[in-house]
Amino acid sequence: MASVNSLASTLQQQLADALTAALPDAGTADPLLRRSDRADFQANGILALAKKLKGNPRELAAQVTAALPASDLIKEIEVSGPGFLNITLSDKAIIETLAARAADDEGRLGVPYNSAAGTTVIDYAQPNVAKEMHVGHLRSAVIGDAMVQILEFTGESVVRRHHIGDWGTQFGMLIQYLIEHPGELNHEDDKADGEAAMSSLNRLYKASRALFDSDEEFKDRSRNRVVALQAGDPETLALWQRFVDESKIYFYSVFDKLDMKINDPDIVGESGYNDMLEETCRILEETGVAVRSEGALCVFFDDVKGPDGNPTPLIVKKTNGGYGYAATDLSAIRDRVQNLKADTLVYVVDVRQSLHFKMVFETARRAGWLSEDVKAHQLAFGTVLGKDGKPFKTREGVTVRLEDLLDEAVERATAVVREKAEKIGLSEEEIVENGRYVGIGAVKYADLSTSAVRDYKFDLDQMVSLHGDTSVYLQYAYARIRSILRKAGDAKPVAHPELELAPAERALGLHLDQFGEVLSEVAADCEPHKLAAYLYQLASLYTTFYDQCHVLSDDNPAELVENRLFLCDITARTLHQGMALLGIRTPERL
């Protein structure tokens, strides 16, 4: 099935052609089309053109109107003010375009693939080995997963990368403790669940830290173990791998709760770039991108200075010969560009690391690893706040465990689902499943409906509310439509372009047609909150349509019932697809 041009793009093309025909001297001119309160669309481009050609804008507007081809697209066009064109589309064009979308046998609703699609590596969901995931890990996982789904839908080839923290000096302490207490990571049965895995890791971490802080001899043995790890000692590496494997059991259990699929080959942690670090430093030094300063290998920037006014460098190799995060991040860029052949690198990382990534990207540009053809972008996100507007902590001031937060969201959502369950006859199994979908959906949507770079308040009462801009509101809108379609009996969704549309039908139809354009913008700008906003508006317009246009009324002629069922059906399909791209499920009954 070929993609379907949106009404806006078809109108844009017709106006551009009419501008060229009426004003050959204008060259290629943009009609500057936008949605309008006075009509369906307004074209403002003639004003600038008249100024350029020293003509009368109203006369030029009339010439352009006269040059428009006769078609079923435009119902009415008027010249207003100093040469604006107010354009109302025909009801027939709206329904015919939506019918073409509904007929898309690929199930894409006629949304085109991006003709300039390439390869994007997305770096997201970066937990640390042997440490619990907390609320701070939520945003990277949720935002990154949504962008993966959206980009893949537009035709981009996406490589997922989970840059887990699996290397560093703390592993000397952990491995040495395990050597001296060999049973600490054993389980009663062979198959540990996420909670048991994290529990043993936590216990071992606390015990090894206490010993490290109190016993100088153990501290020395731990430091020697770091050297052995970095030198590739087989016994040390095998024990290090046990920590990684145990942590993965835990990670996967958390991602499973988040209804996210994480695959083993996508996990390439800090350790994955160890073999490249020395060469990365050598290239940077030989090309003059990095220089020695007080024994360290550094990259300097004119616009990055510390509080004392002196330049603050990016340290690639420390004075003691150890490698900083910069060496790993630069090696990862080399790998992603040279081996994975990426055109675009997207890093879903906390806004507080913006300076680090600005310096890393600039260094990679100077080294030639990033260029006009290969771009890197930090999709920076803000902090999760509590209701009080302060960083989200427990009463004891400890960062909230991610699992606890997800469990509470599901518990709250299940209570909301249970309240309505009897009325629609949900089984206990459906209540539990829907409670999970609503709870996890609520958490994801609250995150994704806020511009990523902004902080947002984590308020579960608001998140699971049936009213306002929440995931539950959208899920209920979808379930309501599915209920109507089930009740329709013999009446089927059929498009009837010959019918006149009520205002609420037109508004809904025009918004439905914008789905592909919104996705294109979201993918280009890495701004999933715009998709969330589109879907909320769609659910709101559907609610108005439902209130003002009775669907299954006995007083309606059969064609009207079928046409309204058709609008219901394509709204449900658009909601379902849009929510899926945000990683949110839409239950059939709620």
Side-chain angles (χ1 to χ4, degrees):
M1 174 79 189
S3 60
V4 179
N5 287 332
S6 69
L7 292 160
S9 64
T10 304
L11 180 58
Q12 168 91 6
Q13 190 59 55
Q14 287 195 10
L15 285 168
D17 291 346
L19 273 168
T20 306
L23 309 163
D25 298 340
T28 53
D30 186 349
L32 296 179
L33 192 68
R34 62 179 180 82
R35 290 299 304 273
S36 169
D37 295 334
R38 295 168 182 266
D40 295 333
F41 292 94
Q42 188 175 77
N44 301 337
I46 291 166
L47 283 176
L49 210 53
K51 205 170 184 181
K52 182 179 163 189
L53 299 174
K54 299 185 171 53
N56 180 311
R58 284 187 67 89
E59 286 177 14
L60 289 182
Q63 285 176 261
V64 171
T65 304
L68 279 166
S71 76
D72 290 334
L73 181 65
I74 297 171
K75 177 184 176 184
E76 189 182 334
I77 184 163
E78 63 160 6
V79 179
S80 86
F84 297 130
L85 292 180
N86 287 333
I87 303 156
T88 302
L89 302 184
S90 72
D91 294 348
K92 184 180 184 208
I94 294 171
I95 294 298
E96 281 182 343
T97 301
L98 293 182
R101 294 194 177 288
D104 180 356
D105 53 14
E106 287 185 29
R108 294 178 54 81
L109 298 165
V111 175
Y113 289 102
N114 177 7
S115 58
T119 299
T120 294
V121 174
I122 298 194
D123 188 324
Y124 69 107
Q126 309 110 343
N128 292 311
V129 165
K131 290 187 181 174
E132 279 191 289
M133 290 175 71
H134 53 76
V135 69
H137 291 111
L138 177 67
R139 300 207 72 184
S140 177
V142 169
I143 296 166
D145 188 60
M147 282 312 306
V148 167
Q149 308 299 333
I150 291 162
L151 285 169
E152 285 188 334
F153 188 77
T154 63
E156 190 76 3
S157 175
V158 178
V159 181
R160 300 157 172 81
R161 277 292 173 266
H162 308 297
H163 190 89
I164 63 171
D166 65 353
W167 204 249
T169 53
Q170 77 273 19
F171 283 99
M173 172 185 87
L174 293 168
I175 293 166
Q176 189 59 39
Y177 189 86
L178 189 59
I179 287 171
E180 296 173 17
H181 304 80
E184 281 298 303
L185 284 184
N186 295 348
H187 301 288
E188 288 179 15
D189 50 27
D190 292 340
K191 200 78 177 156
D193 62 13
E195 201 171 322
M198 195 64 243
S199 174
S200 57
L201 285 167
N202 258 340
R203 192 174 59 248
L204 195 151
Y205 187 88
K206 284 174 184 168
S208 64
R209 170 53 70 183
L211 194 57
F212 186 86
D213 290 342
S214 62
D215 185 332
E216 284 300 319
E217 288 183 2
F218 177 74
K219 188 180 283 189
D220 287 341
R221 292 196 298 276
S222 298
R223 285 174 174 155
N224 290 335
R225 188 59 56 184
V226 175
V227 176
L229 177 64
Q230 290 174 342
D233 170 60
E235 183 204 7
T236 307
L237 276 176
L239 290 169
W240 166 80
Q241 190 63 50
R242 279 196 71 186
F243 281 99
V244 174
D245 292 342
E246 197 77 7
S247 298
K248 280 184 183 177
I249 296 170
Y250 164 69
F251 295 158
Y252 288 159
S253 73
V254 178
F255 289 125
D256 188 53
K257 276 189 180 177
L258 266 171
D259 200 13
M260 258 179 219
K261 193 165 177 56
I262 302 285
N263 297 312
D264 236 30
D266 304 333
I267 297 178
V268 183
E270 293 168 1
S271 64
Y273 305 100
N274 282 347
D275 294 346
M276 299 176 70
L277 300 180
E278 187 54 50
E279 189 181 20
T280 296
C281 292
R282 181 179 58 73
I283 293 168
L284 291 173
E285 189 167 15
E286 284 178 2
T287 54
V289 173
V291 294
R292 295 278 168 185
S293 175
E294 297 175 23
L297 187 62
C298 303
V299 183
F300 288 91
F301 309 87
D302 292 338
D303 57 343
V304 182
K305 293 185 169 62
D308 56 2
N310 292 325
T312 302
L314 181 71
I315 299 173
V316 185
K317 195 171 186 179
K318 301 172 190 172
T319 310
N320 65 4
Y323 300 101
Y325 286 124
T328 306
D329 287 333
L330 287 163
S331 297
I333 289 176
R334 282 178 59 214
D335 175 61
R336 292 165 186 186
V337 174
Q338 293 167 1
N339 298 330
L340 300 177
K341 308 298 181 193
D343 315 295
T344 309
L345 308 178
V346 176
Y347 290 77
V348 189
V349 185
D350 192 312
V351 70
R352 287 170 294 192
Q353 293 189 46
S354 293
L355 179 59
H356 170 77
F357 277 99
K358 179 186 171 186
M359 293 161 83
V360 165
F361 295 161
E362 175 57 28
T363 300
R365 268 190 287 275
R366 291 180 189 177
W369 302 325
L370 295 177
S371 63
E372 280 302 306
D373 300 324
V374 184
K375 294 184 169 56
H377 167 67
Q378 183 193 355
L379 205 176
F381 57 82
T383 306
V384 181
L385 307 174
K387 286 186 189 180
D388 57 2
K390 294 175 182 170
F392 202 26
K393 299 277 175 83
T394 63
R395 283 183 187 150
E396 295 75 35
V398 180
T399 305
V400 178
R401 292 170 71 234
L402 183 50
E403 277 195 292
D404 291 345
L405 183 143
L406 298 177
D407 289 343
E408 189 182 351
V410 170
E411 197 179 306
R412 295 273 193 100
T414 305
V416 171
V417 171
R418 197 177 291 282
E419 275 177 35
K420 293 185 173 278
E422 199 174 323
K423 193 174 168 187
I424 57 171
L426 289 183
S427 67
E428 182 60 26
E429 192 180 341
E430 285 175 305
I431 291 169
V432 170
E433 185 178 79
N434 287 357
R436 183 181 172 218
Y437 292 159
V438 171
I440 297 304
V443 170
K444 288 183 177 181
Y445 187 84
D447 194 316
L448 293 166
S449 58
T450 306
S451 173
V453 77
R454 288 177 51 200
D455 300 342
Y456 81 98
K457 288 185 184 176
F458 196 94
D459 181 347
L460 273 178
D461 294 329
Q462 173 57 31
M463 286 180 188
V464 299
S465 168
L466 301 175
H467 310 288
D469 188 3
T470 66
S471 167
V472 198
Y473 175 70
L474 301 180
Q475 288 168 320
Y476 266 105
Y478 175 79
R480 177 197 277 173
I481 300 172
R482 299 300 300 156
S483 172
I484 290 168
L485 293 170
R486 284 192 297 271
K487 285 177 188 167
D490 293 336
K492 295 285 180 273
V494 180
H496 285 277
E498 74 279 3
L499 293 180
E500 192 176 321
L501 296 177
E505 292 175 307
R506 294 186 96 263
L508 179 62
L510 286 166
H511 191 70
L512 282 163
D513 186 55
Q514 289 179 289
F515 183 51
E517 290 175 345
V518 169
L519 284 180
S520 175
E521 188 181 338
V522 168
D525 300 337
C526 288
E527 292 184 324
H529 70 278
K530 290 181 177 175
L531 175 56
Y534 169 85
L535 294 171
Y536 173 61
Q537 196 181 350
L538 178 58
S540 303
L541 288 166
Y542 179 79
T543 301
T544 305
F545 158 79
Y546 180 78
D547 291 342
Q548 295 180 7
C549 306
H550 293 165
V551 179
L552 298 176
S553 169
D554 293 338
D555 298 334
N556 289 344
E559 294 83 357
L560 185 58
V561 173
E562 289 174 346
N563 201 54
R564 286 182 175 170
L565 283 171
F566 166 72
L567 285 170
C568 288
D569 183 54
I570 194 165
T571 300
R573 288 167 64 182
T574 306
L575 275 172
H576 175 76
Q577 181 63 75
M579 293 288 268
L581 293 176
L582 294 178
I584 300 171
R585 308 261 187 165
T586 40
E588 295 289 304
R589 302 199 310 150
L590 206 53

